[in-house]
């Protein structure tokens, strides 16, 4: 079995699963990725701390009475809201209070000899921001709501630290946007002529180039081609150095990349690839030193035609999985059923199809019931454009590369298309998950990715798995303890327009007494630039509890979170509402679903 490494057209039947590169055209940063200043939010509440000997320090009734006295004195509408854990009293001025109102109220409390201190209940904002990598705006596959994978919102919880991802591919072409994240790998090409490094297997995974000088050189039907630097492009998607003011951002940018070379001139053999799988995952390969940095994720953006999975592959994959390594493979680029390609048709792998920027199955992507999930693979040309041309480079997957046509030259960046580009998106996500929760098994990682994927917004014929992977939703799912209790849900979509307030209702019935002191409010809102949104829970009696404030610096997409609310003062039965207010223009979305757990 040979997996050809040539960068072939998307109609190819074998190969490292990518299509030809092209020159990228600059694309302005989308509105959801530009910087905004912190807002100047009005203060609606103050925190009053009473002296320890004062009655108000320990009695809510006394604190309520004192609040009423201050309201009468200042002419403001004040209400005692609750006692804080530190003993202070939270007093609400209402949402129409001006700066002058705030000053008068605080002066009134300060003048009271029983008050130790009074301070405004100020807003804090998430300090997450879009990466400062200069070409990040070209990485639609990470952040765009239609075809992207919702990666930035996952970075609040995990960036891949502590996880090594093995890229079993053409090796590594030195690149400054990868170098600090690369750990020692290995060259498993056993034939010197194919390796082009003058020997067989060795400890240097340098990519020596996979060019073919003439047609037919690699078998009937093969074409002359330049070196692809395929492994370096794949590696950049997974783990490019991020926030270094250059190039691109990697999905798991604090993970380590381990280049494992198996593809050289005319591809690579299944025997070499199988040994590479074993070594990368920490297994023993005769005559090869033990891997000092065993990978917990393996990416294989390679393959060839085969009606079944060769036993040499399956044995190696099973061994890797048994050692706790997740194996991700590309479905293939032949617009055919993936069951006819390997290792896509092997068991114990995550088989990845490719989607376009519009959220359709990429015209070249393989499909079928054995596909597990989809991810952005891009389209550097339309299906009807001349094969081999690059007409839509902005719709490809932009990543690290080398400018050499045969041997290595200067580093650069270019867009590729292919299931080769889709697979590392899932490998990067697997690294994020393993970093966030180290106890996850390969089966649990696969299940989480599939269960939290979203339906393709476009079309897919033939089967694209469970949909396009959603990074933030998947990370949230494995890091959030599932609530225990009776769950009431509303899954009806509610459109959120610019500068509008909408709500979604849940009728709670069959409960006795009041709601819990730790009421769980699960929220799933699809919306670009989530900082535009104010999210509140409205109790049956109209009491409003804020779940999320707006933030002009929070450029990530979507609100997928579970909030805990003290609703013990509210009767449980009745109509509860999730109220969402959009405070800015330019980004819209919808309430996907929400739930209450009693």
């Amino acid at each position: 079995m040979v997996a050809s490494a040539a960068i072939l057209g998307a109609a190819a039947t074998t190969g490292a699963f990518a299509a030809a590169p092209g020159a990228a055209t600059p694309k302005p940063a989308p509105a959801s990725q530009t910087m905004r200043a912190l807002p100047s939010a009005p203060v609606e509440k103050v925190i009053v701390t009473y002296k320890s000997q004062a009655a108000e320090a320990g009695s809510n009734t006394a604190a309520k009475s004192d609040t009423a006295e201050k309201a009468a004195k200042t002419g403001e509408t004040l209400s005692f809201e609750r006692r804080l854990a530190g003993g202070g009293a939270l007093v609400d001025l209402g949402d129409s209070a001006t700066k002058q109102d705030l000053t008068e109220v605080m002066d009134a409390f300060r003048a009271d000899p029983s008050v130790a201190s009074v301070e405004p209940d100020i807003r804090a904002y998430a300090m997450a921001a879009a990466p400062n990598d200069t070409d990040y705006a070209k990485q639609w596959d990470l952040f765009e709501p239609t075809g992207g994978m919702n990666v930035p919102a996952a970075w609040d919880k995990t960036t891949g630290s502590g996880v090594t991802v093995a890229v079993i591919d053409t090796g590594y072409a030195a690149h400054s946007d990868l170098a600090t994240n690369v750990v020692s790998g290995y060259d498993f090409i056993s034939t010197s002529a194919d390796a082009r490094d003058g020997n067989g297997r060795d400890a240097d995974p340098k990519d020596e180039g996979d060019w073919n000088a003439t047609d037919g050189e690699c078998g009937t039907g093969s074409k002359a081609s330049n070196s692809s630097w395929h492994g370096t492009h794949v590696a950049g998607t997974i783990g490019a150095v991020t926030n270094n003011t250059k190039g691109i951002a990697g999905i798991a940018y604090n993970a380590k990349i381990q280049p494992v070379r198996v593809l050289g001139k005319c591809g690579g053999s299944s025997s070499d690839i199988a040994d590479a799988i074993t070594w990368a995952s920490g297994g023993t390969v005769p005559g090869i030193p033990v891997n000092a940095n065993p990978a917990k994720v393996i990416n294989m953006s390679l393959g060839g035609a085969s009606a079944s999975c060769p036993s040499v592959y399956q044995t190696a994959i099973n061994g890797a999985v048994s050692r706790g390594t997740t194996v991700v493979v590309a479905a293939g680029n032949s617009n055919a059923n993936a069951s006819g390609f390997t290792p896509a048709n092997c068991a114990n792998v995550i088989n990845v199809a490719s989607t376009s920027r519009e959220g359709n199955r990429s015209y070249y992507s393989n499909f079928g019931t054995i596909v597990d999930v989809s991810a952005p693979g891009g389209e550097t040309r339309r299906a009807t454009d001349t094969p081999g041309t690059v007409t839509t480079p902005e719709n490809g997957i932009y990543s690290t590369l080398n400018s050499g046509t045969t041997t290595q030259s200067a580093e650069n960046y270019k867009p590729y298309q292919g299931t080769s580009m889709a697979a590392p998106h899932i490998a990067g996500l697997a690294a994020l998950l393993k970093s966030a929760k180290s106890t996850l098994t390969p089966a649990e990682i696969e299940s989480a990715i599939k269960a939290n994927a979203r339906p393709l917004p476009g079309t897919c014929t033939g089967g694209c798995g469970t949909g396009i992977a959603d990074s933030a939703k998947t990370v949230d799912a494995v890091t959030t303890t599932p609530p225990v209790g009776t769950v009431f849900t509303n899954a009806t979509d509610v459109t959120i327009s610019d500068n509008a307030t909408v709500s979604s209702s849940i009728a709670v019935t069959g409960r006795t007494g009041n709601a819990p002191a730790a009421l769980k409010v699960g929220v799933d809102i699809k919306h670009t630039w989530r900082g535009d949104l104010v999210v509140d829970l409205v109790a049956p009696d109209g009491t409003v509890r804020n779940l999320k404030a707006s933030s002009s610096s929070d450029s990530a997409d979507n609100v997928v979170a579970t909030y805990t609310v003290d609703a013990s003062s509210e009767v449980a039965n009745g109509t509860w509402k999730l109220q969402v207010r959009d405070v800015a223009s330019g980004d819209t979305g919808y309430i996907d679903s929400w739930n209450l757990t009693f």
Side-chain angles (χ1 to χ4, degrees):
M1 171 62 60
V2 174
S4 170
I7 295 296
L8 304 175
T13 56
T14 64
F17 291 146
T25 55
K27 179 175 180 291
S32 60
Q33 300 302 322
T34 53
M35 296 295 291
R36 296 185 185 178
L38 288 175
S40 177
V43 175
E44 299 175 359
K45 301 174 185 179
V46 295
I47 301 166
V48 182
T49 301
Y50 292 93
K51 295 177 180 178
S52 58
Q53 67 270 24
E56 294 89 347
S59 168
N60 287 352
T61 300
K64 288 180 181 179
S65 177
D66 186 53
T67 299
E69 291 178 10
K70 299 299 189 292
K73 181 177 181 179
T74 61
E76 303 295 335
T77 302
L78 307 179
S79 61
F80 171 83
E81 184 169 305
R82 68 176 186 275
R83 183 76 60 176
L84 304 184
L90 187 63
V91 176
D92 191 349
L93 284 68
D95 58 11
S96 61
T98 65
K99 288 183 179 181
Q100 182 177 346
D101 296 335
L102 173 65
T103 299
E104 290 177 357
V105 169
M106 293 182 68
D107 287 346
F109 277 109
R110 287 190 182 114
D112 188 335
S114 65
V115 173
S117 68
V118 59
E119 61 189 50
D121 186 18
I122 61 174
R123 293 286 184 189
Y125 300 94
M127 290 302 174
N132 62 20
D133 303 78
T134 52
D135 287 327
Y136 178 66
K138 298 176 183 178
Q139 294 183 272
W140 60 266
D141 46 307
L142 302 192
F143 57 77
E144 284 191 354
T146 301
M149 220 173 75
N150 196 20
V151 175
W155 289 333
D156 289 340
K157 291 188 175 181
T158 173
T159 55
S161 298
V163 178
T164 297
V165 182
V167 177
I168 297 180
D169 213 293
T170 63
Y172 172 54
H175 204 293
S176 61
D177 212 6
L178 279 168
T180 58
N181 281 348
V182 174
V183 298
S184 298
Y186 212 83
D187 179 0
F188 273 90
I189 301 177
S190 55
T191 304
S192 177
D194 294 344
R196 284 185 165 135
D197 58 3
N199 56 31
R201 294 179 172 182
D202 57 50
D204 183 5
K206 176 185 177 183
D207 191 338
E208 300 287 353
D210 57 352
W211 80 92
N212 301 317
T214 60
D215 291 351
E217 187 176 358
C218 294
T220 303
S222 67
K223 298 293 184 182
S225 62
N226 293 332
S227 290
S228 66
W229 317 115
H230 187 269
T232 301
H233 197 280
V234 167
T237 296
I238 298 169
V241 179
T242 301
N243 284 315
N244 60 342
T245 65
K246 69 174 296 180
I248 64 166
I251 291 172
Y253 59 79
N254 277 327
K256 296 301 181 183
I257 299 295
Q258 184 170 71
V260 184
R261 188 175 183 232
V262 297
L263 303 177
K265 179 183 178 182
C266 301
S269 68
S270 58
S271 56
D272 286 345
I273 293 169
D275 278 354
I277 295 169
T278 299
W279 180 85
S281 60
T284 300
V285 178
I288 306 296
V290 174
N291 186 357
N293 298 290
K296 287 304 177 186
V297 181
I298 286 174
N299 186 90
M300 290 197 292
S301 292
L302 51 80
S306 177
S308 61
C309 175
S311 61
V312 68
Y313 277 170
Q314 195 62 70
T315 298
I317 291 167
N318 290 347
V321 171
S322 72
R323 288 183 284 274
T325 301
T326 299
V327 180
V328 180
V329 304
N333 297 340
S334 298
N335 188 25
N337 197 303
S339 62
F341 299 81
T342 200
N345 57 10
C346 295
N348 277 340
V349 302
I350 303 178
N351 182 348
V352 187
S354 171
T355 51
S356 69
R357 191 170 185 173
E358 297 83 8
N360 303 306
R361 175 170 68 85
S362 299
Y363 68 85
Y364 52 78
S365 178
N366 285 354
F367 50 82
T369 58
I370 68 166
V371 171
D372 293 304
V373 72
S374 297
E379 291 181 345
T380 57
R381 70 173 177 87
R382 302 297 183 187
T384 54
D385 293 340
T386 304
T389 61
V390 175
T391 56
T392 56
E394 70 279 5
N395 294 338
I397 305 301
Y398 197 72
S399 189
T400 46
L401 212 66
N402 192 277
S403 62
T405 56
T406 54
T407 58
Q408 289 188 30
S409 183
E411 66 177 44
N412 64 358
Y413 304 83
K414 283 192 176 181
Y416 275 5
Q417 66 175 20
T419 55
S420 275
M421 285 58 258
H425 284 77
I426 300 301
L429 175 53
L432 293 179
L433 296 172
K434 187 68 174 178
S435 176
K437 188 174 182 179
S438 61
T439 58
L440 289 174
T441 66
E444 289 170 336
I445 288 173
E446 177 179 352
S447 178
I449 291 173
K450 291 163 66 174
N452 291 284
R454 58 188 174 86
L456 269 66
T459 61
C460 172
T461 54
C464 290
T466 58
I468 299 176
D470 186 309
S471 301
K473 187 175 180 181
T474 308
V475 168
D476 188 66
V478 303
T479 56
T480 302
T481 303
V484 178
T486 302
V487 180
F488 296 84
T489 301
N490 187 338
T492 302
D493 292 353
V494 178
T495 299
I496 304 169
S497 302
D498 281 336
N499 296 295
T501 300
V502 299
S503 64
S504 175
S505 300
I506 290 177
V508 175
T509 59
R511 311 300 298 173
T512 58
N514 285 6
L519 177 66
K520 301 296 183 183
V521 186
V523 176
D524 187 346
I525 298 173
K526 301 296 190 295
H527 193 284
T528 51
W529 198 293
R530 66 186 179 195
D532 288 353
L533 301 181
V534 177
V535 183
D536 296 312
L537 177 68
V538 183
D541 67 355
T543 300
V544 177
R545 289 172 172 82
N546 181 249
L547 304 179
K548 176 196 170 300
S550 61
S551 170
S552 62
S553 64
D554 188 358
S555 62
D557 295 334
N558 306 330
V559 181
V560 182
T562 299
Y563 301 94
T564 301
V565 173
D566 182 358
S568 57
S569 62
E570 307 291 340
V571 174
N573 284 341
T575 300
W576 297 74
K577 294 180 180 179
L578 185 74
Q579 181 173 280
V580 180
R581 178 161 52 100
D582 188 318
V583 300
S585 301
D587 295 273
T588 58
Y590 61 95
I591 301 173
D592 191 340
S593 65
W594 72 289
N595 60 69
L596 296 170
T597 301
F598 286 82

